[in-house]
């Protein structure tokens, strides 16, 4: 707005300047006409013309002074116009940069939304695959296949075991069944991730007794068909039932013996 006002003011000054110049030019022409005619007139008339001439000269001097002032005002207006034009250009560049930043921000927001949605979908798909694999593994290895209805895994990866009668029974199953479920979940993670590493289980049947110990031994033997399983058993765990179940399927067996000075332990193949 300031730039437009200054441009209008500058044009008004230019028009005034042109008017003054035209007036001066007319005065000069008039003086020339008077000089040509002065010789043909009476003395009193000549004096009057000279008086008028001095008056015209005074007016011209004032007009020259006014013209100088207008010149200075015009120059100041031009400088202000240049300064405001430069400021306007800077503001326009800032506005353009702001628009670029807004476009980048909008793009990043949309990209982040896509990433979050993709992450959520992948996590959901992975959870469903792990849930299905865990259930398949558990029912393949379980010795009470008709007792349980389904295995579910929540969004927080908490496992639920649903009884055939429809209630949550994870807290009431035996230690062997709980370990079997944990083993099924671990194997499902291996299957879904594609990370087919060996599995190592320390004291696998320490809390299991009776038929459940034999059943869990059979489940471990079944797992060893497709995956290397390393079992660390205490002498108490390595009962006759476990030995009969696992020895025929074990590729190697070692016994850990402590030296007489109790400083080191060594492996002896059986």
């Amino acid at each position: 707005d300031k730039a437009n006002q200054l441009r209008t003011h500058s044009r008004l000054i230019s028009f005034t300047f042109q008017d003054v110049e035209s007036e001066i030019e007319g005065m000069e022409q008039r003086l020339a006409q008077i000089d040509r005619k002065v010789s043909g007139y009476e003395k009193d008339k000549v004096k009057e013309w000279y008086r008028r001439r001095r008056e015209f000269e005074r007016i011209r001097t004032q007009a020259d002074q006014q013209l100088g002032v207008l010149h200075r005002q015009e120059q100041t207006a031009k400088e202000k116009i240049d300064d405001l034009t430069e400021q306007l250009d800077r503001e326009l560049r800032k506005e353009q940069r702001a628009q670029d930043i807004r476009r980048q921000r909008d793009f990043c927001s949309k990209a982040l939304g896509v990433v979050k949605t993709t992450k959520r979908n992948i996590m959901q798909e992975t959870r469903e695959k792990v849930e299905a694999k865990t259930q398949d593994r558990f029912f393949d290895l379980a010795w009470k296949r008709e007792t349980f209805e389904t295995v579910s895994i929540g969004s927080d990866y908490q496992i639920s075991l649903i009884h055939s009668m429809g209630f949550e029974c994870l807290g009431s199953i035996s230690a062997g069944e709980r370990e079997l479920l944990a083993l099924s979940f671990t194997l499902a993670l291996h299957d879904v991730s594609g990370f087919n590493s060996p599995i190592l289980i320390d004291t696998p049947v320490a809390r299991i007794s009776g038929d459940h110990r034999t059943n869990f031994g059979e489940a471990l033997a079944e797992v060893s068909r497709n995956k290397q399983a390393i079992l660390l058993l205490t002498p108490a765990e390595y009962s006759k039932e476990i030995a009969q179940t696992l020895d025929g399927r074990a590729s190697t067996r070692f016994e850990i013996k402590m030296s007489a000075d109790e400083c080191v332990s060594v492996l002896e193949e059986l």
Side-chain angles (χ1 to χ4, degrees):
D1 292 337
K2 289 183 178 180
N4 291 332
Q5 292 175 2
L6 287 172
R7 289 192 181 95
T8 302
H9 187 55
S10 177
R11 286 195 294 270
L12 291 174
I13 291 173
S14 297
F15 292 151
T16 304
F17 176 78
Q18 293 173 1
D19 292 341
V20 171
E21 284 186 334
S22 299
E23 185 177 354
I24 292 172
E25 183 179 354
M27 290 179 180
E28 289 178 346
Q29 293 175 357
R30 179 61 177 166
L31 287 174
Q33 292 175 0
I34 292 172
D35 286 338
R36 287 194 299 269
K37 295 179 179 180
V38 71
S39 59
Y41 290 90
E42 297 177 0
K43 185 177 180 180
D44 292 338
K45 290 183 179 181
V46 172
K47 288 181 178 180
E48 177 62 21
W49 287 338
Y50 272 104
R51 186 189 65 77
R52 293 178 62 186
R53 177 175 179 176
R54 286 193 302 269
E55 181 66 19
F56 289 148
E57 287 177 347
R58 184 183 65 77
I59 294 174
R60 176 178 178 179
T61 300
Q62 291 178 349
D64 286 339
Q65 292 174 352
Q66 185 180 6
L67 183 61
V69 172
L70 293 175
H71 272 304
R72 287 194 298 271
Q73 292 178 352
E74 181 183 23
Q75 182 63 31
T76 302
K78 288 181 179 179
E79 292 175 355
K80 289 184 178 179
I81 289 174
D82 292 340
D83 182 60
L84 290 174
T85 301
E86 184 177 351
Q87 292 182 27
L88 178 60
D89 291 340
R90 286 198 300 268
E91 294 302 322
L92 289 175
R93 287 194 295 270
K94 289 181 182 179
E95 177 65 20
Q96 181 62 41
R97 177 169 175 77
Q99 291 178 0
D100 293 340
I101 293 174
R102 282 194 292 269
R103 284 195 294 269
Q104 293 174 8
R105 181 201 61 191
D106 293 342
F107 173 78
C108 291
S109 297
K110 292 179 181 178
L112 181 60
V114 171
V115 170
K116 287 182 177 180
T117 301
T118 303
K119 176 185 176 182
R120 187 164 52 251
N121 292 339
I122 291 176
M123 291 181 66
Q124 174 69 13
E125 181 181 353
T126 301
R127 184 189 63 78
E128 291 174 354
K129 287 182 179 179
V130 171
E131 180 182 80
K133 288 286 185 180
T134 300
Q135 178 169 294
D136 291 343
R137 286 280 190 175
F138 180 73
F139 285 119
D140 285 345
L141 299 175
W143 46 85
K144 293 182 180 178
R145 292 176 174 82
E146 302 301 324
T147 302
F148 308 109
E149 179 179 342
T150 184
V151 176
S152 65
I153 300 177
S155 59
D156 56 354
Y157 273 76
Q158 291 294 319
I159 299 179
S160 296
L161 181 61
I162 308 302
H163 195 273
S164 59
M165 297 180 66
F167 60 87
E168 165 65 54
C169 62
L170 183 60
S172 60
I173 60 177
S174 67
E177 291 166 336
R178 189 175 294 107
E179 289 193 20
L180 184 62
L181 183 59
L183 176 61
S184 300
F185 178 68
T186 302
L187 295 175
L189 290 177
H190 284 205
D191 291 341
V192 173
S193 67
F195 188 65
N196 192 25
S197 63
I199 185 170
L200 186 148
I201 306 176
D202 187 18
T203 59
V205 293
R207 295 181 296 171
I208 306 173
S209 60
D211 293 339
H212 285 171
R213 175 172 287 192
T214 301
N215 293 333
F216 195 74
E218 290 288 348
L220 292 173
E222 184 65 24
V223 169
S224 68
R225 291 178 180 273
N226 301 309
K227 181 182 290 291
Q228 183 182 12
I230 303 173
L231 307 178
L232 303 178
L233 297 97
T234 64
E237 288 182 283
Y238 195 60
S239 61
K240 178 179 178 181
E241 294 82 10
I242 287 295
Q244 290 177 346
T245 302
L246 298 180
D247 285 356
R249 303 182 186 181
S251 59
T252 53
R253 294 180 298 141
F254 294 91
E255 183 178 0
I256 303 175
K257 290 187 175 182
M258 185 178 295
S259 62
D261 57 6
E262 299 183 355
C263 293
V264 297
S265 295
V266 295
L267 290 176
E268 292 185 359
E269 185 171 0
L270 299 178

